[in-house]
Structure formats: C-alpha cells, structure tokens
Amino acid sequence: WRRYAWPGDFDPLRANTAETRLGGTTPVGVFPGGATPDTGLLDLCGNVWELTQDAWHDSYAGAPADGSAWESEETGAGRVIRGGSWSNGARDCRCACRGGVEPGGRINGLGFRCARVQA
C-alpha cells in the first residue's frame, strides 16, 4: 500500500498541487516522476480530481472485493472523486483521499481519465 501514486513521501516535483504553485492544470507528462511504478500511469496525484464510475457511499462496507466499480441503484447518485487537484495540498492528493460530487456538480479542477482495456 502506498500513500501516494509513487513509493515514499509527498514530493511536490512529482505532482501538480498547491505546493507547486502553478495555479492551473498542466498537460499530462509534465511530472513524469509521479508515474505509478506498476502501471506507468501519470497524474493520478494532483492536476485534476478524477471523476470515477463509483457511486458515493459513506464507507467501504459492502464494496466489491474484485476492484470493479461500485454502482448504485439510486437514480442521481453522487460520484466519487479521487486524487486531488492543482489547488489542493498533499493531504488531499493521497491515494486514500476521496470526495463526492453530485450529478451536474461543478468543481474547479475536476476531470476524468480516458482509459481502455488492452486485449
């Protein structure tokens, strides 16, 4: 288990956060030292909060054990956001930090990650 996307403590040279004082988003790859060692993914920490497929739940009780998205039967359920943004400090950019956003909600520094499964 890691506190940040990389091993070790917070390093402002690895992520676009309030500590870097850039005042906005940056293109992917500006902080290559922040890549996750196991996948090579960039910008999982800082830059923008990542909007996820998971519906908001107050705790992890009942969460899928296989890592799949935790959907909700509730229409209009809020979604989980992760990773912090350029305006957040190190505490909000930890892997364990999550927040929630209601459908249609607007947060400065909110985005999403395009992904695909390779065969």
Side-chain angles (χ1 to χ4, degrees):
W1 181 83
R2 292 188 297 260
R3 185 173 298 228
Y4 298 100
W6 55 85
D9 293 329
F10 181 76
D11 179 351
L13 299 177
R14 292 182 180 227
N16 184 12
T17 65
E19 282 83 359
T20 59
R21 294 180 170 76
L22 295 177
T25 59
T26 57
V28 172
V30 170
F31 297 91
T36 57
D38 47 345
T39 64
L41 291 174
L42 297 168
D43 298 337
L44 290 178
C45 177
N47 213 27
V48 294
W49 283 98
E50 182 180 346
L51 182 65
T52 72
Q53 185 177 347
D54 294 320
W56 175 259
H57 295 85
D58 289 334
S59 75
Y60 287 109
D66 63 0
S68 62
W70 194 6
E71 296 289 348
S72 175
E73 299 291 326
E74 182 183 336
T75 302
R79 297 290 171 190
V80 173
I81 58 175
R82 293 189 172 278
S85 81
W86 57 267
S87 65
N88 296 109
R91 186 177 195 294
D92 290 331
C93 294
R94 294 173 302 124
C95 294
C97 183
R98 68 186 185 113
V101 63
E102 294 300 316
R106 299 176 67 95
I107 297 174
N108 193 12
L110 176 64
F112 60 92
R113 178 177 297 277
C114 296
R116 67 183 175 121
V117 176
Q118 291 185 318

